[in-house]
Amino acid sequence: MPRTGDSLWELAAAEVQRRDNPEDDTEPSADTERSVFFIGNKNGGKTTIILRCIDRDETPTPTLALEYTFGRRAKGHNTPKDIAHFWELGGGTSLMDLIPIPITQENIRTLSIVLVLDLSRPSELWNTVEKLLQATRNHVNKVLADIGKSNTKTANQIVQNVWRNFPNNHPDRELIDPFPLPLLVIGSKYDIFQDFDPEKRKMICKTLRFVSHYYGASLLFTSKSESHRGVMRTFVNQLAFGQDKSKSLSVDHNKPLVVPAGLDSFSQIGSPPASDSDLRQVQVRTPMELWKKIYERHFPPKNTNDTKDTKDPAKDPQYAERHIDAMRAQKDQELEQYKRNADKSWKSMSLGSHVR
């Protein structure tokens, strides 16, 4: 470290020595910060995954709206820390209006997206993927466009970063449409999924491989098994703390899938599991539409309404505040009284108009 009173030449010599011997540099630099935004099925295990990755042994509680937590990792003694900001969207697809909050111009350069899908509910998978990724992508593109107005180079660099996993000689480089930010797709509850009929497992595995590869995402399945958790932690910690990428690869639909971004291909995935006659009958314009039609033939989407199931946080016991709740109850009573009085006023006005 330079000392007060050092001459310009002494400072320059110290800087040269520091560059030549970086291991001797004991002055820590600034901490590294990254952000990870978790989206996916309601009750799909997002909170559990986050807690596992930051070594917090506690019972997860349902995420009602948008929650934030963070984790730290030190690389060594007297060294800067890696700080990860974890955002989690609750409610499945019912709270997509909150998606813009964690995605800002300030953090988008170091932001990653994790989409958690509940493998035990295959009829909800496609709808969840389609709605959440589209809503997230729309806002990411908006933020990138705003950045591009003042700094085109930075906006372009953020987009180009996702192409690093797809070199020029990758056979599908011209056929994919990568998500504009690093994307990890996690299939949770594999312990339930593994008991599905083999043909159903094959359909789900191939579909998720296709979707993940098309969006330039990594894909993995996980469960309560410690070995599965270890693989999951490696992938998430790579996004959150910049740790080394996983070298694992498994595309066998009889085993948990582990497919890092860029290591799959459409030729390996193959066509949707359907007969030639069924494929010819489907009227579509893109491969994505074809996979959607075939998948929904196997797993018809359910008419679920996440919004109806979303609880009111004001009435949730875990957020109880005695004084605030008492004031809220009083205001609710005042509102009901106001509505009754207003209703009487309108009725009297209506009767008066008829008399005249």
Side-chain angles (χ1 to χ4, degrees):
M1 175 184 294
R3 300 178 298 275
T4 303
D6 284 347
S7 69
L8 179 61
W9 290 110
E10 288 171 330
L11 292 173
E15 175 64 15
V16 171
Q17 183 178 9
R18 186 190 67 79
R19 293 183 180 183
D20 291 340
N21 301 281
E23 65 276 5
D24 294 335
D25 186 10
T26 58
E27 181 178 2
S29 58
D31 294 339
T32 300
E33 298 189 32
R34 296 177 178 84
S35 298
V36 185
F37 184 22
F38 280 74
I39 57 179
N41 287 109
K42 182 169 59 177
N43 299 323
K46 300 182 292 295
T47 305
T48 300
I49 292 173
I50 294 173
L51 293 176
R52 293 289 179 270
C53 291
I54 57 178
D55 299 319
R56 280 170 53 180
D57 186 16
E58 57 186 73
T59 302
T61 55
T63 302
L64 298 178
L66 184 68
E67 293 192 0
Y68 166 82
T69 188
F70 69 95
R72 290 194 186 99
R73 291 286 166 84
K75 295 180 179 179
H77 179 67
N78 197 31
T79 61
K81 294 181 175 63
D82 289 318
I83 301 174
H85 304 278
F86 293 96
W87 292 89
E88 178 189 355
L89 180 69
T93 59
S94 67
L95 299 172
M96 293 191 296
D97 290 346
L98 301 178
I99 285 176
I101 295 176
I103 306 174
T104 66
Q105 292 190 32
E106 289 71 31
N107 73 358
I108 197 169
R109 294 166 182 79
T110 57
L111 177 66
S112 301
I113 307 297
V114 177
L115 173 63
V116 180
L117 302 173
D118 187 341
L119 296 175
S120 69
R121 293 182 283 174
S123 295
E124 300 177 21
L125 290 187
W126 193 281
N127 181 64
T128 301
V129 171
E130 191 171 52
K131 287 188 175 182
L132 288 177
L133 286 188
Q134 188 60 56
T136 305
R137 187 169 202 159
N138 287 343
H139 185 67
V140 169
N141 288 338
K142 180 180 181 298
V143 173
L144 291 175
D146 291 340
I147 293 176
K149 293 176 183 178
S150 58
N151 194 332
T152 304
K153 182 178 179 181
T154 298
N156 290 338
Q157 185 61 51
I158 294 172
V159 175
Q160 288 302 314
N161 285 340
V162 301
W163 285 99
R164 291 179 178 177
N165 296 315
F166 296 88
N168 292 331
N169 61 351
H170 193 286
D172 300 331
R173 188 176 170 85
E174 302 300 324
L175 303 175
I176 63 175
D177 184 19
F179 199 79
L181 297 177
L183 174 64
L184 169 62
V185 179
I186 298 179
S188 64
K189 303 184 183 180
Y190 179 80
D191 47 333
I192 300 175
F193 174 78
Q194 65 183 351
D195 294 329
F196 282 15
D197 177 80
E199 290 303 313
K200 290 184 177 181
R201 291 204 310 269
K202 182 178 180 181
M203 180 72 233
I204 296 171
C205 287
K206 293 190 68 172
T207 300
L208 291 182
R209 281 179 64 191
F210 173 85
V211 171
S212 298
H213 183 59
Y214 180 81
Y215 286 122
S218 295
L219 170 67
L220 67 92
F221 289 176
T222 190
S223 71
K224 298 178 181 179
S225 166
E226 197 58 43
S227 60
H228 297 172
R229 288 178 179 177
V231 175
M232 178 270 296
R233 283 166 56 97
T234 299
F235 274 82
V236 175
N237 286 343
Q238 191 273 320
L239 300 176
F241 301 107
Q243 297 183 2
D244 293 339
K245 292 184 178 181
S246 173
K247 297 180 180 179
S248 301
L249 176 65
S250 174
V251 295
D252 185 350
H253 68 270
N254 293 310
K255 300 178 181 179
L257 295 182
V258 182
V259 191
L263 296 188
D264 214 340
S265 69
F266 291 135
S267 62
Q268 293 176 336
I269 297 170
S271 59
S275 65
D276 292 341
S277 60
D278 287 342
L279 292 175
R280 286 193 295 268
Q281 291 174 5
V282 179
Q283 300 297 319
V284 296
R285 294 172 296 176
T286 66
M288 185 65 75
E289 289 182 4
L290 174 63
W291 279 89
K292 177 180 180 180
K293 293 287 186 182
I294 299 299
Y295 183 85
E296 291 184 342
R297 283 190 177 186
H298 286 75
F299 305 102
K302 294 181 179 178
N303 294 323
T304 59
N305 190 341
D306 286 337
T307 306
K308 292 181 180 179
D309 297 330
T310 302
K311 298 179 181 178
D312 183 354
K315 300 177 181 179
D316 193 295
Q318 68 175 319
Y319 300 118
E321 293 284 351
R322 184 166 59 86
H323 297 295
I324 295 175
D325 292 342
M327 181 62 69
R328 170 68 184 266
Q330 178 183 334
K331 294 300 180 182
D332 285 344
Q333 291 176 359
E334 293 175 359
L335 176 61
E336 289 301 318
Q337 185 62 46
Y338 172 81
K339 288 163 66 177
R340 287 194 292 269
N341 293 339
D343 186 50
K344 291 179 181 178
S345 298
W346 281 107
K347 286 181 178 179
S348 63
M349 291 174 63
S350 177
L351 289 173
S353 64
H354 285 305
V355 171
R356 288 193 298 270

